[in-house]
Amino acid sequence: MASFLQSLVDPRKNFLARLHMKSVSNRLRKYGLRYDDLYDPLYDLDIKEALNRLPREVVDARNQRLKRAMDLSMKHEYLPDNLQVCLQTELQQMTFLMTEESLPKLALQTPFRSYLQEMLALVKRERAEREALGALPLYQRTIP
């Protein structure tokens, strides 16, 4: 059952998942965002901790992308077309048909290049380990 559900959301196996991934990519590219930028540190304290552990340059770039996206949204505009370069090869990258080395370096916006997932997985593993050992949590959940 789990493999069936996993194949439903895998863009390599399901046409609808691939179509959804393409539409999300186009929408993020219009504002110059990455998928990891959509995570809210106020909603999940694991995300806040992962962002605190990332290098300052990565967090600054994330904040700059978010500010630019809010500014474009308030102006009811999108990024200029020359900054939203979308190639057929990027769609192939999203569907994992090509390796990253064989892709041309023309895509300026890369919505699915992750910078937060590895650190977030590490934080979640550490929290699960602390709970398994019975230690106090590093942070308490509060409603902002």
Side-chain angles (χ1 to χ4, degrees):
M1 182 67 168
S3 64
F4 173 72
L5 292 175
Q6 196 170 20
S7 68
L8 269 174
V9 297
D10 187 4
R12 292 176 286 182
K13 298 179 182 176
N14 188 346
F15 171 74
L16 295 175
R18 189 169 38 251
L19 188 65
H20 174 69
M21 191 171 185
K22 181 181 176 186
S23 68
V24 169
S25 173
N26 287 336
R27 191 76 169 166
L28 291 173
R29 192 178 293 109
K30 286 180 182 181
Y31 291 105
L33 291 172
R34 290 188 180 175
Y35 190 77
D36 286 349
D37 294 338
L38 302 178
Y39 290 117
D40 186 9
L42 297 177
Y43 178 71
D44 189 0
L45 294 178
D46 290 339
I47 293 169
K48 183 177 182 179
E49 179 65 26
L51 284 172
N52 287 337
R53 293 183 185 189
L54 286 175
R56 188 79 212 148
E57 300 83 30
V58 174
V59 176
D60 288 343
R62 175 185 193 267
N63 291 335
Q64 187 64 34
R65 284 191 301 270
L66 287 170
K67 286 178 185 177
R68 179 179 58 191
M70 285 187 279
D71 182 51
L72 289 170
S73 177
M74 293 297 290
K75 293 178 181 177
H76 299 284
E77 295 177 358
Y78 296 124
L79 275 179
D81 289 335
N82 61 348
L83 294 178
Q84 299 184 36
V85 175
C86 176
L87 301 174
Q88 183 65 25
T89 54
E90 187 170 344
L91 176 62
Q92 291 173 344
Q93 177 189 12
M94 290 188 311
T95 58
F96 309 106
L97 296 176
M98 296 178 70
T99 62
E100 193 161 330
E101 300 86 40
S102 63
L103 287 173
K105 301 297 182 196
L106 297 176
L108 298 177
Q109 302 299 323
T110 52
F112 290 103
R113 184 176 292 162
S114 177
Y115 62 89
L116 186 63
Q117 293 300 320
E118 292 175 5
M119 190 62 71
L120 184 60
L122 177 68
V123 169
K124 287 183 185 268
R125 276 196 313 263
E126 287 176 0
R127 183 175 49 83
E129 182 179 354
R130 287 183 68 84
E131 288 175 2
L133 293 174
L136 293 174
L138 290 176
Y139 41 82
Q140 298 292 327
R141 300 227 176 246
T142 60
I143 299 174

